[in-house]
Amino acid sequence: MSVSETQVAPAVALLARPGAARERLREALSHADVQLVLEDDPNTLEARVLQEARPQFVVIALEAAIEDALERLEAVLSAPGLTLVFDEAELAARRDGWEAQRWGRHLAAKLHGHQQVLPPGAEEEPSLQLEPGHPAPLPAPQEEALQPHLDQALSWAGEVPADSLYSPPSQLHEPIALEQALAALQPVVPEPLDLPSPPQALAEPAAPAEPPISFDHTAWSLVEESIEAPAPAEVVATVAAPQPSFDTDHLSLVDLDAAAPAGARAASLLVLAGIGGPDALRRLLGALPASLSVPVLVHMRLDGGRYGNLVKQMARVSPLPVQLAEAGQRAIPGEVHVLADDIGVRTAPDGLHFLSDANGIAIAGLPAEHTALVLLSGADLAHVGPALDLAAAGAWVAGQVGEGCYDPAAATAVVAAGMVAGEPQELAQAIAARWGEQDDNGEAP
């Protein structure tokens, strides 16, 4: 039974400019068993028309040309109960063949709220997960069913031939227990003779009992008294050393920041994403606390390098300030820094600093014990190896699973290696428990 037969098809609105991206998205929605209630160009769409269509989901082909239109429609798009699904217009236009079919299955799973992303005809493997509890007991035999067999066995008992060819010798007896056989092998110890007791006069006189020892507790002392003669007063005066005195004029406070290791001041949360990443990134940043004590570094590869638009989108949902990282700046704790492809980081005594690097961010250069790394949907597979190496050195590494993970290759690889797994909101809760600022009582706010 298909999903469309078990529940009402969701209402979906498609917002995209005319072109190849819009055609690809329309084709994917046509195979997803949904009601396409609206399809229009967001630049010419009126907010009233979108609101009257009453969609449950809005699929948006994201590009720079519609940024102003999305701000104009923000009041309708942020309505409660409305789910937004973003897709890069350039990626959607190039997506074809097997990749387009796979993305369409993930899109249908998100719109219908299930996780059936396998192609038609594929069978799901049975779950090998052990379940708690004792196994179900076997059914008890019923006496009514056994009674005919018992009666038949009793009627045939007299006809069973007896074994008359062997008769045990008369000197043999019934077998005895092992304990009895071992006891029979033990030698017999003769009992002692009853001799008359010697006269009382011949017995040795008993030694007189010693009187109990009594202690004089009046002479106890906690200080061990010396039995030597007291030394002369002149010698005592010579040996006695003067009491030490503290010079409070030269006291100063210790710089705790200077005493802390450089790695602790360079702590950070690095988030890697790609295809399907904007939606997962929105859910992760939206669930982070405003009191996060480390900087958040976001690297999501975008065709065309429109990272300024990504900053605007994430600033709407993130409780933390979001800004674009620039070379020469310092990563500020409690803020989100979006990294372009040519921005890297270096560790300094006062924290992390951004620099120009054609190779982008180097995961291996981060302090492992003070770094958290999250791989969301679409993360590059080339980052899996460095991420696992950083985890082996003490870093906290996690991968996205579940609904909305359209490209789970890299995230699944780190999860299969034993790293933390969860939805973006669950990973945000784990990060908040790890790096949320503490109050005076030691509890996270």
Side-chain angles (χ1 to χ4, degrees):
M1 180 178 296
S2 64
V3 176
S4 60
E5 296 176 355
T6 59
Q7 61 183 8
V8 179
V12 180
L14 174 59
L15 302 185
R17 292 200 309 160
R22 183 168 170 177
E23 295 176 0
R24 294 287 189 277
L25 293 176
R26 185 194 310 116
E27 181 180 358
L29 292 175
S30 64
H31 293 88
D33 294 332
V34 299
Q35 302 179 32
L36 190 58
V37 297
L38 179 64
E39 178 182 348
D40 204 342
D41 186 349
N43 291 326
T44 59
L45 177 64
E46 296 293 336
R48 176 184 53 82
V49 177
L50 177 60
Q51 186 175 12
E52 292 177 353
R54 299 183 181 276
Q56 298 172 270
F57 296 87
V58 177
V59 180
I60 303 175
L62 195 61
E63 54 183 329
I66 67 170
E67 182 65 26
D68 296 337
L70 293 181
E71 293 182 0
R72 179 172 51 84
L73 299 173
E74 182 178 0
V76 180
L77 295 177
S78 60
L82 185 62
T83 302
L84 304 181
V85 180
F86 293 94
D87 189 19
E88 289 290 332
E90 294 186 6
L91 294 179
R94 296 197 310 264
R95 196 178 293 125
D96 194 7
W98 177 85
E99 184 180 1
Q101 296 177 8
R102 181 177 63 88
W103 188 88
R105 291 194 300 270
H106 283 274
L107 177 61
K110 182 175 184 62
L111 298 178
H112 288 280
H114 60 77
Q115 297 184 1
Q116 301 176 8
V117 296
L118 297 178
E123 298 180 356
E124 296 185 359
E125 298 182 357
S127 176
L128 301 180
Q129 185 69 24
L130 298 179
E131 297 182 357
H134 296 284
L138 297 176
Q142 299 181 1
E143 296 183 1
E144 296 79 1
L146 294 179
Q147 191 61 39
H149 301 282
L150 297 177
D151 295 341
Q152 185 179 20
L154 182 61
S155 63
W156 290 350
E159 302 178 3
V160 176
D163 190 2
S164 58
L165 298 179
Y166 172 79
S167 59
S170 59
Q171 65 272 18
L172 296 182
H173 304 284
E174 293 292 334
I176 62 177
L178 178 61
E179 291 80 2
Q180 298 177 1
L182 294 177
L185 297 177
Q186 298 296 328
V188 179
V189 180
E191 297 181 359
L193 300 177
D194 296 335
L195 298 178
S197 59
Q200 188 69 22
L202 298 179
E204 296 181 0
E210 297 182 359
I213 301 176
S214 61
F215 296 94
D216 184 8
H217 63 275
T218 60
W220 291 359
S221 174
L222 296 178
V223 181
E224 183 178 359
E225 297 178 358
S226 176
I227 60 176
E228 299 180 357
E234 294 80 0
V235 178
V236 175
T238 304
V239 175
Q243 295 295 331
S245 60
F246 296 95
D247 185 6
T248 59
D249 296 335
H250 297 84
L251 294 179
S252 62
L253 297 177
V254 178
D255 187 0
L256 297 180
D257 291 338
R265 294 188 296 275
S268 64
L269 165 63
L270 175 60
V271 183
L272 303 175
I275 298 177
D279 181 57
L281 185 60
R282 283 163 51 94
R283 295 158 59 190
L284 176 70
L285 297 182
L288 289 178
S291 58
L292 200 66
S293 59
V294 295
V296 181
L297 312 181
V298 176
H299 177 63
M300 184 172 67
R301 188 176 299 276
L302 296 177
D303 294 338
R306 296 185 299 273
Y307 293 99
N309 296 337
L310 182 63
V311 171
K312 295 179 181 179
Q313 296 172 21
M314 298 305 149
R316 299 191 185 109
V317 298
S318 174
L320 303 172
V322 184
Q323 59 179 330
L324 187 63
E326 297 181 1
Q329 291 182 346
R330 174 176 172 266
I332 302 176
E335 294 189 5
V336 180
H337 303 272
V338 177
L339 278 64
D341 295 339
D342 58 349
I343 293 295
V345 295
R346 65 176 180 86
T347 303
D350 59 342
L352 295 177
H353 289 255
F354 302 116
L355 51 85
S356 297
D357 190 343
N359 298 323
I361 186 170
I363 299 178
L366 299 174
E369 297 182 356
H370 307 283
T371 300
L373 180 59
V374 177
L375 280 75
L376 298 179
S377 173
D380 195 346
L381 277 173
H383 291 149
V384 174
L388 295 180
D389 294 340
L390 203 67
W396 186 88
V397 179
Q400 177 189 357
V401 296
E403 181 183 357
C405 192
Y406 299 108
D407 187 6
T412 303
V414 297
V415 171
M419 302 297 104
V420 181
E423 295 275 358
Q425 296 90 332
E426 298 173 347
L427 299 180
Q429 294 176 2
I431 295 169
R434 176 184 177 92
W435 275 325
E437 291 185 354
Q438 306 290 321
D439 57 12
D440 296 337
N441 299 325
E443 298 179 354

